């Protein structure tokens, strides 16, 4: 049996052959990527002012929120009061190291108000219009979204403790070990001096932790923060 050369193929044969090669090259990156795991988002402690179970700091007492606020809008306080500060939208996806999104995952966030206080701090001049805590479950696409305010950095003990602007975030759900991290902001003053930010040596991981806010006409600034939970 003779072997056809490329010039002996019919036009239809050549078209089929080229299509077959194209499918092979398109599949190659997917096959290679399937064995490449995503790096987990770095873990960060929940800190002393986690609203459900706060520990507080010496001389900075704290009392757990009860009942805990429900919903994803932190800018509306008790009685419908509006918060101080610049509104922002924070959204993202929760996924595992294989890149699979995780629907139905519980996502909590908490942060200081525009005056630099956590909602659970005692004897603090807190913003009465800021809920300070929010919780939502990811949708079918593994997405979450919150409305909150742009945080500012704060200091305690006369500046002995200094933190750059950040939002605490915690995820939990079936089959997941509860996991806490922090959302940081690109260009925020104090990032390089913050002990939590500066300890991330991997430049790609640190970049993933930095939210870049953008603003569309008629909307408040928004940023994206995807969470890759570590393997159990």
């Amino acid at each position: 049996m003779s072997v056809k050369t490329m010039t002996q193929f019919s036009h239809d044969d050549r078209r089929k052959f080229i299509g077959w090669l194209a499918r092979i090259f398109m599949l190659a990156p997917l096959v290679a990527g399937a064995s490449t795991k995503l790096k987990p988002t770095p873990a960060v402690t929940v800190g002393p002012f986690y609203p459900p179970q706060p520990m507080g700091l010496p001389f900075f007492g704290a009392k757990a929120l009860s009942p805990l606020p429900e919903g994803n809008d932190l800018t509306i306080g008790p009685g419908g009061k509006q918060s101080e500060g610049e509104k922002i939208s924070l959204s993202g996806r929760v996924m595992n190291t294989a890149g699979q999104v995780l629907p139905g995952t519980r996502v909590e966030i908490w942060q200081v108000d525009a005056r630099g206080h956590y909602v659970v701090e005692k004897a603090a001049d807190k913003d009465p219009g800021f809920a300070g805590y929010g919780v939502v479950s990811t949708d079918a696409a593994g997405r979450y979204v919150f409305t909150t305010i742009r945080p500012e950095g704060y200091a305690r003990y006369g500046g002995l403790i200094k933190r750059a602007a950040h939002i605490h975030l915690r995820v939990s759900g079936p089959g997941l070990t509860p996991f806490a991290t922090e959302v940081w902001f690109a260009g925020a003053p104090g990032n390089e001096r913050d002990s939590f930010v500066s300890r991330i040596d991997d430049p790609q991981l640190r970049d993933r932790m930095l939210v870049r806010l953008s603003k569309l006409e008629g909307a408040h600034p928004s940023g994206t923060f995807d969470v890759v939970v570590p393997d159990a």
Side-chain angles (χ1 to χ4, degrees):
M1 178 174 18
S2 62
V3 179
K4 287 185 178 181
T5 66
M6 190 64 180
T7 57
Q8 293 174 306
F9 280 127
S10 68
H11 175 75
D12 190 54
D13 288 336
R14 286 197 297 271
R15 184 177 57 81
K16 290 179 180 178
F17 180 70
I18 292 171
W20 176 78
L21 284 177
R23 286 193 294 271
I24 293 297
F25 285 121
M26 288 174 65
L27 284 172
L30 297 178
V31 173
S35 61
T36 303
K37 285 191 172 185
L38 299 174
K39 291 183 178 179
T41 300
V44 182
T45 174
V46 296
F49 298 116
Y50 174 48
Q53 297 175 314
M55 297 179 293
L57 290 168
F59 312 113
F60 290 90
K63 181 180 180 180
L65 282 186
S66 182
L68 283 171
E70 292 289 336
N72 64 344
D73 191 344
L74 283 67
T75 66
I76 302 175
K81 295 179 180 178
Q82 292 289 320
S83 70
E84 301 168 2
E86 181 185 11
K87 279 189 179 184
I88 64 170
S89 175
L90 178 69
S91 62
R93 297 174 300 162
V94 180
M95 65 192 81
N96 59 24
T97 58
Q100 299 167 324
V101 297
L102 302 176
T105 300
R106 179 182 173 89
V107 182
E108 305 166 85
I109 67 168
W110 64 100
Q111 65 177 87
V112 294
D113 61 22
R115 305 176 186 181
H117 302 295
Y118 287 97
V119 67
V120 295
E121 287 189 84
K122 295 179 181 178
D125 179 27
K126 295 174 288 190
D127 175 8
F130 188 60
Y133 172 89
V135 58
V136 70
S137 292
T138 56
D139 64 15
R143 293 187 61 81
Y144 70 87
V145 61
F146 289 98
T147 300
T148 184
I149 64 168
R150 185 197 295 260
E152 300 290 341
Y154 62 84
R156 297 288 188 272
Y157 302 117
L160 291 177
I161 295 177
K162 292 182 179 180
R163 289 302 319 274
H166 64 280
I167 295 174
H168 295 272
L169 185 149
R170 184 178 185 266
V171 299
S172 58
L176 294 179
T177 300
F179 170 77
T181 187
E182 286 183 358
V183 180
W184 304 323
F185 292 84
N191 274 348
E192 296 307 315
R193 297 190 304 272
D194 188 287
S195 59
F196 290 97
V197 179
S198 60
R199 74 175 57 175
I200 308 298
D201 295 324
D202 186 321
Q204 290 184 333
L205 281 180
R206 185 188 291 198
D207 190 65
R208 271 174 39 191
M209 303 282 281
L210 295 170
V211 165
R212 291 163 178 80
L213 295 173
S214 59
K215 192 176 189 306
L216 297 176
E217 187 175 352
H220 43 261
S222 62
T224 301
F225 186 81
D226 290 336
V227 182
V228 180
V229 298
D231 295 333

